[in-house]
Amino acid sequence: MALSEIPPTADGDRFRQLMTVAREQQLATRPMSDIVQAIAEQLLGSAYQAGLLDESAEETLVASLTQFDCVLFVEAVLAIARGIALQDYTYSSFTQNLQAQRYWNGHLNGYCSRLHYFSEWIADNHRRRLVQDIGTQLGGIPLEKTLNFMSQHRSSYPQLVDNSANYRCIQAMEASIAHQKINYIPQDQIRQRYPQLQPGDIIAVATDIPGLDVTHTGLVYRHPNGNIGLIHASPVGEVTIAEDLQNYISNVESAIGILVARPLDPRQNVR
């Protein structure tokens, strides 16, 4: 690992710690699901911080390992895990993986290139074989709604308030995903799917809020006793583990169920 490329910050220190753990535990020899859960566990107690991606007026690649919102937590864990699986312990690999996940076709090209709706995040990453959307496989049902929350709530998004170009671009983006198929597992059927879930599966909380697909994200956590929980950056204040997935979802305001995607193992895509 080229130490010179790691930023001399708290995030850089955390990256070094994670790479040390990865080597000591020989994570690269383990299944992708184990790698994801092991990395997520190392981030327990990290602070929750909303709005990190929108602090700059210009879209830049935000790479945080010490504070997260719910999506940043999922992205950071997956980006780290992909590098470890390939025994690539460089910081540049981490940031490249982050960009690949966060932006349409993996290209950062302004605010509108970010995958703002998480169902579109899943669809785009599925198309590029970074994750697999397993909602249909799990017997999910269609989420029938028009995604237009951002354009309908312009004042809630700093980059849209005084930027007409961004606003028009977001409207066009919403139109482009109008017919996207989204399948979700209804809230009262989640526990029935526990045997089919794996540690590290990506969970997105589907909502009945008009115009919006998802309100929260996290990762499946398998407890030592085999029960299925959720490890996530909680708005309550930190990265934590909810003991039971279905119980947690049932207490989320406006939740109707979950979208599920599975991180694909990059070792199986190496030719």
Coordinates of all heavy atoms in Angstrom, one line a residue, residues 132-224:
Q132 N -26.6 -7.0 -7.4 CA -27.7 -7.7 -8.1 C -29.0 -7.3 -7.4 O -29.1 -7.5 -6.2 CB -27.5 -9.2 -8.0 CG -28.6 -10.0 -8.7 CD -28.5 -11.5 -8.6 OE1 -27.6 -11.9 -7.8 NE2 -29.3 -12.2 -9.2
D133 N -29.9 -6.8 -8.1 CA -31.2 -6.5 -7.6 C -32.0 -7.8 -7.4 O -32.3 -8.5 -8.4 CB -32.0 -5.6 -8.5 CG -33.4 -5.2 -8.0 OD1 -33.8 -5.7 -7.0 OD2 -34.0 -4.3 -8.6
I134 N -32.2 -8.2 -6.1 CA -32.8 -9.5 -5.9 C -34.3 -9.4 -5.4 O -34.8 -10.3 -4.9 CB -32.0 -10.4 -4.9 CG1 -31.9 -9.7 -3.5 CG2 -30.6 -10.7 -5.5 CD1 -31.2 -10.6 -2.5
G135 N -34.9 -8.2 -5.6 CA -36.3 -8.0 -5.2 C -37.2 -9.0 -5.8 O -38.1 -9.6 -5.2
T136 N -37.1 -9.2 -7.1 CA -37.9 -10.1 -7.8 C -37.7 -11.6 -7.4 O -38.6 -12.3 -7.1 CB -37.7 -10.0 -9.4 OG1 -38.0 -8.7 -9.8 CG2 -38.6 -11.0 -10.1
Q137 N -36.4 -11.9 -7.2 CA -36.0 -13.2 -6.8 C -36.6 -13.6 -5.4 O -37.0 -14.7 -5.1 CB -34.5 -13.3 -6.7 CG -33.9 -14.6 -6.1 CD -32.4 -14.5 -6.0 OE1 -31.7 -13.9 -6.9 NE2 -31.8 -15.1 -5.0
L138 N -36.8 -12.5 -4.6 CA -37.3 -12.7 -3.2 C -38.9 -12.7 -3.2 O -39.5 -12.7 -2.2 CB -36.8 -11.6 -2.3 CG -35.3 -11.7 -2.0 CD1 -34.9 -10.5 -1.1 CD2 -34.9 -13.0 -1.3
G139 N -39.5 -12.5 -4.4 CA -40.9 -12.5 -4.5 C -41.5 -11.1 -4.2 O -42.6 -11.0 -3.7
G140 N -40.7 -10.1 -4.5 CA -41.2 -8.7 -4.3 C -42.4 -8.4 -5.2 O -42.6 -9.0 -6.2
I141 N -43.1 -7.3 -4.8 CA -44.2 -6.8 -5.6 C -43.8 -5.4 -6.1 O -43.0 -4.7 -5.6 CB -45.5 -6.8 -4.8 CG1 -45.4 -5.8 -3.6 CG2 -45.8 -8.2 -4.3 CD1 -46.6 -5.6 -2.8
P142 N -44.5 -5.0 -7.2 CA -44.1 -3.7 -7.8 C -44.4 -2.5 -6.9 O -45.5 -2.5 -6.3 CB -45.0 -3.6 -9.1 CG -45.3 -5.0 -9.4 CD -45.4 -5.7 -8.1
L143 N -43.5 -1.5 -6.9 CA -43.7 -0.3 -6.2 C -44.2 0.7 -7.3 O -43.4 1.2 -8.1 CB -42.4 0.2 -5.6 CG -42.5 1.6 -4.8 CD1 -43.4 1.4 -3.6 CD2 -41.1 2.0 -4.4
E144 N -45.5 0.9 -7.3 CA -46.1 1.7 -8.4 C -46.2 3.2 -8.0 O -47.0 3.6 -7.2 CB -47.5 1.2 -8.7 CG -47.6 -0.3 -9.1 CD -47.1 -0.5 -10.5 OE1 -46.7 0.4 -11.2 OE2 -47.1 -1.7 -10.9
K145 N -45.2 4.0 -8.4 CA -45.3 5.4 -8.1 C -44.4 6.2 -9.1 O -43.4 5.7 -9.7 CB -44.9 5.7 -6.7 CG -43.5 5.3 -6.3 CD -43.3 5.3 -4.8 CE -43.9 6.4 -4.0 NZ -43.6 6.4 -2.6
T146 N -44.7 7.5 -9.2 CA -43.9 8.4 -10.0 C -42.8 9.0 -9.1 O -43.2 9.6 -8.1 CB -44.7 9.5 -10.7 OG1 -45.7 8.8 -11.5 CG2 -43.9 10.4 -11.5
L147 N -41.6 9.0 -9.5 CA -40.5 9.5 -8.7 C -40.3 11.0 -9.1 O -39.7 11.2 -10.2 CB -39.2 8.7 -8.8 CG -39.3 7.2 -8.4 CD1 -38.0 6.5 -8.5 CD2 -39.9 7.1 -7.0
N148 N -40.7 11.9 -8.3 CA -40.6 13.3 -8.6 C -40.4 14.2 -7.4 O -40.6 15.4 -7.4 CB -41.7 13.8 -9.4 CG -43.1 13.7 -8.7 OD1 -43.1 13.3 -7.6 ND2 -44.2 14.0 -9.4
F149 N -40.0 13.5 -6.3 CA -39.9 14.2 -5.0 C -38.9 15.4 -5.1 O -39.2 16.5 -4.5 CB -39.5 13.3 -3.9 CG -39.5 13.8 -2.5 CD1 -40.7 13.8 -1.7 CD2 -38.4 14.5 -1.9 CE1 -40.7 14.3 -0.5 CE2 -38.5 15.0 -0.7 CZ -39.6 14.9 0.1
M150 N -37.8 15.2 -5.7 CA -36.8 16.3 -5.8 C -37.3 17.5 -6.5 O -37.2 18.7 -6.0 CB -35.5 15.8 -6.4 CG -34.8 14.7 -5.6 SD -33.2 14.2 -6.4 CE -32.2 15.7 -6.1
S151 N -37.9 17.3 -7.6 CA -38.4 18.5 -8.4 C -39.6 19.1 -7.7 O -39.8 20.3 -7.8 CB -38.8 18.1 -9.8 OG -39.8 17.1 -9.8
Q152 N -40.4 18.3 -7.0 CA -41.6 18.8 -6.3 C -41.2 19.5 -4.9 O -42.1 20.2 -4.3 CB -42.6 17.7 -6.0 CG -43.2 17.1 -7.3 CD -44.0 18.1 -8.1 OE1 -44.8 18.8 -7.5 NE2 -43.6 18.3 -9.4
H153 N -40.0 19.3 -4.5 CA -39.6 19.9 -3.2 C -38.2 20.6 -3.4 O -37.2 20.3 -2.7 CB -39.4 18.8 -2.1 CG -40.7 18.1 -1.8 ND1 -41.3 17.1 -2.5 CD2 -41.6 18.3 -0.7 CE1 -42.4 16.7 -2.0 NE2 -42.6 17.5 -0.9
R154 N -38.2 21.4 -4.4 CA -37.0 22.1 -4.8 C -36.3 22.8 -3.7 O -35.0 22.8 -3.6 CB -37.3 23.1 -5.9 CG -36.1 23.8 -6.5 CD -36.6 24.7 -7.7 NE -35.4 25.3 -8.3 CZ -35.5 26.1 -9.4 NH1 -36.7 26.3 -10.0 NH2 -34.4 26.7 -9.9
S155 N -37.0 23.4 -2.8 CA -36.5 24.2 -1.7 C -35.7 23.4 -0.7 O -34.9 23.9 0.1 CB -37.6 25.0 -1.0 OG -38.5 24.1 -0.4
S156 N -35.9 22.1 -0.7 CA -35.2 21.2 0.2 C -33.8 20.8 -0.2 O -33.1 20.2 0.5 CB -36.0 19.9 0.5 OG -37.3 20.2 1.0
Y157 N -33.5 21.2 -1.5 CA -32.2 20.7 -2.1 C -31.4 22.0 -2.4 O -31.7 22.7 -3.4 CB -32.4 19.9 -3.3 CG -33.1 18.6 -3.0 CD1 -34.5 18.5 -2.9 CD2 -32.4 17.4 -2.6 CE1 -35.2 17.3 -2.6 CE2 -33.1 16.3 -2.3 CZ -34.4 16.2 -2.3 OH -35.1 15.0 -2.0
P158 N -30.3 22.3 -1.7 CA -29.5 23.5 -1.9 C -29.1 23.7 -3.3 O -29.1 24.8 -3.8 CB -28.3 23.3 -0.9 CG -28.8 22.4 0.1 CD -29.7 21.5 -0.5
Q159 N -28.7 22.6 -4.0 CA -28.2 22.7 -5.3 C -29.3 23.0 -6.4 O -28.9 23.2 -7.6 CB -27.4 21.5 -5.7 CG -25.9 21.4 -5.2 CD -25.9 21.1 -3.8 OE1 -26.9 20.9 -3.1 NE2 -24.7 20.9 -3.2
L160 N -30.5 22.9 -5.9 CA -31.6 23.2 -6.9 C -32.2 24.6 -6.7 O -32.9 25.1 -7.6 CB -32.7 22.1 -6.7 CG -32.3 20.7 -7.0 CD1 -33.6 19.8 -6.9 CD2 -31.7 20.5 -8.3
V161 N -32.1 25.1 -5.5 CA -32.8 26.4 -5.1 C -32.5 27.5 -6.1 O -33.4 28.1 -6.6 CB -32.4 26.8 -3.7 CG1 -33.0 28.2 -3.4 CG2 -32.9 25.8 -2.7
D162 N -31.2 27.8 -6.3 CA -30.8 28.9 -7.2 C -30.1 28.5 -8.5 O -29.4 29.3 -9.1 CB -29.9 29.9 -6.4 CG -30.7 30.5 -5.2 OD1 -31.8 30.9 -5.4 OD2 -30.1 30.5 -4.1
N163 N -30.3 27.2 -8.8 CA -29.6 26.7 -10.0 C -30.6 26.1 -11.0 O -31.0 25.0 -10.8 CB -28.6 25.7 -9.6 CG -27.6 25.3 -10.7 OD1 -28.0 25.1 -11.9 ND2 -26.3 25.2 -10.4
S164 N -31.0 26.9 -12.0 CA -32.1 26.4 -12.9 C -31.6 25.3 -13.7 O -32.4 24.4 -14.1 CB -32.5 27.6 -13.8 OG -33.1 28.6 -13.0
A165 N -30.3 25.3 -14.1 CA -29.7 24.2 -14.9 C -29.8 22.8 -14.2 O -30.2 21.8 -14.7 CB -28.3 24.5 -15.3
N166 N -29.5 22.9 -12.9 CA -29.6 21.6 -12.1 C -31.0 21.2 -12.0 O -31.3 20.0 -12.0 CB -29.0 21.9 -10.7 CG -27.5 21.7 -10.6 OD1 -26.9 21.3 -11.6 ND2 -26.9 22.1 -9.5
Y167 N -31.9 22.2 -11.8 CA -33.3 21.8 -11.6 C -33.9 21.2 -12.9 O -34.6 20.2 -12.8 CB -34.1 23.1 -11.3 CG -35.6 22.9 -11.1 CD1 -36.0 22.1 -10.0 CD2 -36.5 23.4 -11.9 CE1 -37.4 21.9 -9.8 CE2 -37.9 23.2 -11.8 CZ -38.3 22.4 -10.7 OH -39.7 22.2 -10.5
R168 N -33.6 21.8 -14.0 CA -34.1 21.2 -15.3 C -33.5 19.8 -15.5 O -34.1 18.9 -16.0 CB -33.7 22.1 -16.4 CG -34.5 23.4 -16.5 CD -34.3 24.1 -17.8 NE -32.9 24.5 -18.1 CZ -32.4 25.6 -17.7 NH1 -33.1 26.5 -17.0 NH2 -31.1 25.8 -18.0
C169 N -32.2 19.6 -15.1 CA -31.6 18.3 -15.3 C -32.2 17.3 -14.4 O -32.4 16.1 -14.8 CB -30.1 18.5 -14.9 SG -29.1 17.0 -15.2
I170 N -32.6 17.7 -13.2 CA -33.2 16.7 -12.3 C -34.6 16.4 -12.8 O -35.0 15.2 -12.8 CB -33.3 17.3 -10.8 CG1 -32.0 17.4 -10.2 CG2 -34.3 16.5 -10.0 CD1 -31.3 16.0 -9.9
Q171 N -35.3 17.3 -13.4 CA -36.6 17.0 -14.0 C -36.4 16.0 -15.1 O -37.2 15.1 -15.2 CB -37.2 18.3 -14.5 CG -37.8 19.2 -13.4 CD -38.5 20.5 -14.0 OE1 -37.9 21.2 -14.8 NE2 -39.7 20.7 -13.6
A172 N -35.4 16.2 -15.9 CA -35.2 15.3 -17.0 C -34.8 13.9 -16.5 O -35.2 12.9 -17.1 CB -34.1 15.8 -17.9
M173 N -34.0 13.9 -15.5 CA -33.6 12.6 -14.9 C -34.8 11.9 -14.3 O -35.0 10.7 -14.6 CB -32.6 12.8 -13.7 CG -32.2 11.5 -13.0 SD -33.3 11.2 -11.6 CE -32.8 12.5 -10.4
E174 N -35.7 12.6 -13.6 CA -36.9 11.9 -13.1 C -37.8 11.4 -14.3 O -38.3 10.3 -14.1 CB -37.7 13.0 -12.3 CG -37.0 13.3 -11.0 CD -37.7 14.4 -10.2 OE1 -38.5 15.2 -10.9 OE2 -37.5 14.6 -9.0
A175 N -37.9 12.1 -15.4 CA -38.6 11.6 -16.5 C -38.0 10.4 -17.1 O -38.7 9.4 -17.5 CB -38.7 12.7 -17.6
S176 N -36.7 10.3 -17.0 CA -36.0 9.1 -17.6 C -36.2 7.8 -16.9 O -36.0 6.8 -17.4 CB -34.5 9.4 -17.8 OG -33.8 9.4 -16.5
I177 N -36.5 8.0 -15.6 CA -36.7 6.8 -14.7 C -38.2 6.5 -14.4 O -38.5 5.7 -13.5 CB -35.9 6.8 -13.4 CG1 -36.3 8.0 -12.6 CG2 -34.4 6.9 -13.8 CD1 -35.6 8.0 -11.2
A178 N -39.1 7.2 -15.2 CA -40.5 7.1 -14.9 C -41.0 5.7 -15.0 O -42.0 5.3 -14.3 CB -41.3 8.1 -15.8
H179 N -40.5 4.9 -15.9 CA -41.0 3.6 -16.1 C -40.1 2.5 -15.5 O -40.2 1.3 -15.8 CB -41.2 3.3 -17.6 CG -42.1 4.3 -18.2 ND1 -43.5 4.4 -17.9 CD2 -41.9 5.3 -19.1 CE1 -44.0 5.4 -18.6 NE2 -43.1 5.9 -19.3
Q180 N -39.2 2.9 -14.6 CA -38.3 1.9 -14.0 C -39.1 1.0 -13.1 O -39.9 1.4 -12.3 CB -37.2 2.7 -13.2 CG -36.3 1.8 -12.5 CD -35.2 2.6 -11.8 OE1 -34.3 3.1 -12.5 NE2 -35.3 2.8 -10.5
K181 N -38.8 -0.3 -13.2 CA -39.5 -1.3 -12.4 C -38.8 -1.4 -11.0 O -37.6 -1.7 -11.0 CB -39.5 -2.6 -13.1 CG -40.4 -2.6 -14.4 CD -40.4 -4.0 -15.0 CE -41.3 -4.0 -16.3 NZ -41.3 -5.3 -17.0
I182 N -39.6 -1.3 -10.0 CA -39.0 -1.4 -8.6 C -39.9 -2.4 -7.9 O -41.1 -2.3 -7.8 CB -39.1 0.0 -7.9 CG1 -38.5 1.1 -8.7 CG2 -38.5 -0.1 -6.5 CD1 -38.8 2.5 -8.1
N183 N -39.2 -3.4 -7.3 CA -39.9 -4.5 -6.6 C -39.5 -4.4 -5.1 O -38.3 -4.3 -4.8 CB -39.6 -5.8 -7.2 CG -40.3 -6.0 -8.5 OD1 -41.5 -6.0 -8.7 ND2 -39.5 -6.1 -9.6
Y184 N -40.5 -4.5 -4.2 CA -40.2 -4.4 -2.8 C -40.9 -5.6 -2.1 O -41.9 -6.1 -2.5 CB -40.5 -3.1 -2.2 CG -42.0 -2.9 -2.0 CD1 -42.6 -3.0 -0.7 CD2 -42.9 -2.6 -3.1 CE1 -43.9 -2.8 -0.5 CE2 -44.2 -2.4 -2.9 CZ -44.8 -2.5 -1.6 OH -46.1 -2.4 -1.4
I185 N -40.3 -5.9 -0.9 CA -40.9 -6.9 0.0 C -41.7 -6.2 1.0 O -41.2 -5.3 1.8 CB -39.8 -7.7 0.7 CG1 -38.7 -8.2 -0.2 CG2 -40.4 -8.8 1.5 CD1 -39.2 -9.1 -1.3
P186 N -43.0 -6.4 1.0 CA -43.9 -5.8 2.0 C -43.4 -6.0 3.4 O -42.9 -7.0 3.8 CB -45.3 -6.4 1.7 CG -45.2 -6.9 0.3 CD -43.8 -7.3 0.1
Q187 N -43.7 -5.0 4.2 CA -43.2 -5.0 5.6 C -43.5 -6.2 6.4 O -42.7 -6.7 7.1 CB -43.8 -3.7 6.3 CG -43.4 -3.4 7.7 CD -43.9 -2.1 8.1 OE1 -43.5 -1.1 7.6 NE2 -44.8 -2.1 9.1
D188 N -44.7 -6.7 6.2 CA -45.2 -7.9 7.1 C -44.7 -9.2 6.5 O -44.9 -10.3 7.1 CB -46.7 -7.9 7.2 CG -47.4 -8.1 5.9 OD1 -46.7 -8.0 4.8 OD2 -48.6 -8.2 5.9
Q189 N -43.9 -9.2 5.4 CA -43.4 -10.4 4.8 C -41.9 -10.5 4.9 O -41.3 -11.5 4.4 CB -43.8 -10.5 3.4 CG -45.3 -10.6 3.1 CD -45.7 -10.6 1.7 OE1 -44.9 -11.0 0.8 NE2 -46.9 -10.1 1.4
I190 N -41.2 -9.5 5.6 CA -39.8 -9.5 5.6 C -39.2 -10.7 6.3 O -38.3 -11.4 5.8 CB -39.3 -8.2 6.2 CG1 -39.7 -7.0 5.4 CG2 -37.7 -8.2 6.4 CD1 -39.4 -5.7 6.0
R191 N -39.7 -11.0 7.5 CA -39.2 -12.1 8.3 C -39.2 -13.5 7.5 O -38.3 -14.3 7.7 CB -39.9 -12.3 9.6 CG -39.3 -13.3 10.6 CD -39.8 -13.2 12.0 NE -39.3 -12.0 12.6 CZ -40.1 -10.9 12.9 NH1 -41.4 -10.9 12.6 NH2 -39.6 -9.9 13.6
Q192 N -40.2 -13.6 6.7 CA -40.3 -14.9 5.9 C -39.1 -15.0 4.9 O -38.8 -16.1 4.5 CB -41.6 -14.9 5.1 CG -42.9 -14.8 5.9 CD -44.1 -14.6 5.0 OE1 -44.1 -14.9 3.8 NE2 -45.1 -14.0 5.6
R193 N -38.5 -13.9 4.6 CA -37.3 -13.9 3.6 C -36.0 -14.1 4.3 O -35.0 -14.1 3.7 CB -37.3 -12.6 2.8 CG -38.6 -12.3 2.1 CD -39.1 -13.4 1.2 NE -40.1 -13.0 0.2 CZ -41.4 -12.8 0.5 NH1 -41.9 -13.0 1.7 NH2 -42.2 -12.5 -0.5
Y194 N -36.0 -14.1 5.7 CA -34.7 -14.2 6.4 C -33.8 -15.3 5.9 O -32.6 -15.1 5.7 CB -34.9 -14.4 7.9 CG -35.3 -13.1 8.6 CD1 -35.5 -11.9 8.0 CD2 -35.4 -13.1 10.0 CE1 -35.9 -10.8 8.7 CE2 -35.8 -12.0 10.7 CZ -36.0 -10.8 10.0 OH -36.3 -9.7 10.7
P195 N -34.3 -16.6 5.6 CA -33.4 -17.6 5.1 C -32.8 -17.3 3.8 O -31.7 -17.9 3.5 CB -34.4 -18.8 5.0 CG -35.5 -18.5 5.9 CD -35.7 -17.0 5.8
Q196 N -33.3 -16.4 3.0 CA -32.8 -16.1 1.7 C -31.8 -14.9 1.7 O -31.2 -14.6 0.7 CB -33.9 -15.8 0.7 CG -34.8 -17.0 0.4 CD -36.1 -16.5 -0.3 OE1 -37.1 -16.2 0.3 NE2 -36.0 -16.6 -1.6
L197 N -31.7 -14.2 2.9 CA -30.9 -13.0 3.0 C -29.4 -13.4 3.4 O -29.3 -14.4 4.1 CB -31.4 -12.0 4.0 CG -32.8 -11.4 3.6 CD1 -33.3 -10.5 4.7 CD2 -32.7 -10.7 2.3
Q198 N -28.5 -12.7 3.0 CA -27.1 -12.9 3.3 C -26.5 -11.6 4.1 O -27.0 -10.5 3.8 CB -26.2 -13.1 2.1 CG -26.6 -14.4 1.4 CD -25.7 -14.6 0.1 OE1 -24.7 -13.8 -0.1 NE2 -26.0 -15.6 -0.6
P199 N -25.6 -11.8 4.9 CA -24.9 -10.6 5.5 C -24.4 -9.7 4.4 O -23.9 -10.2 3.4 CB -23.7 -11.3 6.3 CG -24.1 -12.7 6.6 CD -24.9 -13.1 5.4
G200 N -24.5 -8.4 4.6 CA -24.1 -7.5 3.6 C -25.0 -7.2 2.5 O -24.8 -6.3 1.7
D201 N -26.2 -7.9 2.4 CA -27.2 -7.5 1.5 C -27.6 -6.1 1.7 O -27.7 -5.6 2.9 CB -28.4 -8.4 1.5 CG -28.2 -9.8 0.8 OD1 -27.2 -9.9 0.1 OD2 -29.0 -10.7 1.0
I202 N -27.9 -5.3 0.7 CA -28.2 -3.9 0.8 C -29.7 -3.8 1.0 O -30.5 -4.3 0.2 CB -27.8 -3.1 -0.5 CG1 -26.3 -3.3 -0.7 CG2 -28.2 -1.7 -0.4 CD1 -25.9 -3.1 -2.2
I203 N -30.1 -3.1 2.0 CA -31.5 -2.9 2.4 C -31.9 -1.4 2.2 O -31.2 -0.5 2.7 CB -31.8 -3.3 3.8 CG1 -31.5 -4.8 4.0 CG2 -33.3 -3.0 4.2 CD1 -32.3 -5.7 3.3
A204 N -33.0 -1.2 1.5 CA -33.5 0.2 1.3 C -34.9 0.2 1.7 O -35.7 -0.7 1.3 CB -33.3 0.7 -0.1
V205 N -35.3 1.2 2.6 CA -36.6 1.2 3.2 C -37.6 1.9 2.2 O -37.5 3.1 2.0 CB -36.6 1.9 4.5 CG1 -38.0 1.9 5.1 CG2 -35.6 1.3 5.5
A206 N -38.5 1.1 1.6 CA -39.5 1.7 0.7 C -40.5 2.5 1.5 O -40.8 2.1 2.6 CB -40.2 0.6 -0.1
T207 N -41.0 3.6 0.9 CA -41.9 4.5 1.6 C -43.2 4.8 0.8 O -43.2 4.7 -0.4 CB -41.1 5.8 1.8 OG1 -42.0 6.7 2.6 CG2 -40.7 6.5 0.5
D208 N -44.2 5.2 1.5 CA -45.4 5.6 0.9 C -45.5 7.1 0.7 O -46.5 7.7 0.3 CB -46.7 5.1 1.6 CG -46.8 5.7 3.0 OD1 -46.0 6.6 3.4 OD2 -47.7 5.2 3.8
I209 N -44.4 7.8 1.0 CA -44.3 9.3 0.7 C -44.4 9.5 -0.8 O -43.7 9.0 -1.6 CB -43.0 9.9 1.3 CG1 -42.9 9.7 2.8 CG2 -42.9 11.3 0.9 CD1 -41.6 10.1 3.4
P210 N -45.4 10.4 -1.2 CA -45.5 10.6 -2.6 C -44.3 11.1 -3.3 O -43.6 12.0 -2.8 CB -46.6 11.7 -2.7 CG -47.4 11.5 -1.4 CD -46.4 11.1 -0.4
G211 N -43.9 10.5 -4.5 CA -42.8 11.0 -5.2 C -41.5 10.4 -4.8 O -40.5 10.7 -5.5
L212 N -41.4 9.7 -3.7 CA -40.1 9.2 -3.2 C -40.1 7.7 -3.1 O -41.2 7.1 -2.8 CB -39.9 9.8 -1.8 CG -38.5 9.6 -1.1 CD1 -37.5 10.3 -2.0 CD2 -38.5 10.2 0.3
D213 N -39.0 7.1 -3.4 CA -38.9 5.6 -3.3 C -38.4 5.1 -2.0 O -38.9 4.1 -1.5 CB -38.0 5.1 -4.5 CG -36.6 5.8 -4.5 OD1 -36.4 6.8 -3.7 OD2 -35.8 5.4 -5.3
V214 N -37.4 5.7 -1.4 CA -36.7 5.2 -0.3 C -36.4 6.3 0.7 O -36.0 7.4 0.3 CB -35.4 4.5 -0.8 CG1 -34.4 4.3 0.4 CG2 -35.6 3.2 -1.5
T215 N -36.5 6.0 2.0 CA -36.1 7.0 3.0 C -34.9 6.6 3.9 O -34.4 7.5 4.6 CB -37.3 7.1 4.0 OG1 -37.6 5.9 4.6 CG2 -38.5 7.7 3.3
H216 N -34.4 5.4 3.8 CA -33.3 5.0 4.6 C -32.6 3.7 4.0 O -33.3 3.0 3.2 CB -33.7 4.6 6.0 CG -32.6 4.5 7.0 ND1 -31.7 5.5 7.3 CD2 -32.3 3.5 7.9 CE1 -30.8 5.0 8.2 NE2 -31.2 3.8 8.6
T217 N -31.3 3.5 4.3 CA -30.6 2.4 3.8 C -29.7 1.8 4.9 O -29.4 2.4 5.8 CB -29.7 2.8 2.6 OG1 -28.7 3.7 3.0 CG2 -30.5 3.3 1.4
G218 N -29.3 0.5 4.7 CA -28.4 -0.1 5.6 C -28.0 -1.5 5.0 O -28.2 -1.7 3.8
L219 N -27.4 -2.3 5.8 CA -26.9 -3.6 5.3 C -27.4 -4.7 6.3 O -27.5 -4.5 7.5 CB -25.4 -3.6 5.3 CG -24.7 -2.6 4.5 CD1 -23.2 -2.5 4.9 CD2 -24.8 -3.0 3.0
V220 N -27.8 -5.9 5.7 CA -28.2 -7.0 6.5 C -27.1 -7.4 7.4 O -25.9 -7.5 7.0 CB -28.5 -8.2 5.6 CG1 -28.6 -9.5 6.4 CG2 -29.8 -7.9 4.9
Y221 N -27.4 -7.6 8.7 CA -26.5 -8.1 9.7 C -26.9 -9.4 10.2 O -28.1 -9.5 10.7 CB -26.3 -7.1 10.8 CG -25.3 -7.4 11.8 CD1 -23.9 -7.1 11.6 CD2 -25.6 -8.1 13.0 CE1 -22.9 -7.4 12.5 CE2 -24.6 -8.5 13.9 CZ -23.3 -8.1 13.6 OH -22.3 -8.5 14.5
R222 N -26.1 -10.4 10.2 CA -26.4 -11.7 10.7 C -25.8 -11.8 12.1 O -24.5 -11.8 12.2 CB -26.0 -12.9 9.8 CG -26.3 -14.3 10.4 CD -26.0 -15.4 9.4 NE -26.9 -15.3 8.3 CZ -26.7 -15.9 7.1 NH1 -25.6 -16.5 6.9 NH2 -27.6 -15.8 6.2
H223 N -26.6 -12.0 13.1 CA -26.1 -12.1 14.5 C -25.5 -13.5 14.7 O -25.8 -14.4 13.9 CB -27.3 -11.9 15.5 CG -27.9 -10.5 15.5 ND1 -27.3 -9.5 16.2 CD2 -29.0 -10.0 14.9 CE1 -28.0 -8.4 16.0 NE2 -29.0 -8.7 15.2
P224 N -24.7 -13.7 15.7 CA -24.1 -15.0 16.0 C -25.2 -16.1 16.1 O -24.9 -17.3 15.8 CB -23.4 -14.8 17.3 CG -23.0 -13.4 17.2 CD -24.1 -12.7 16.6

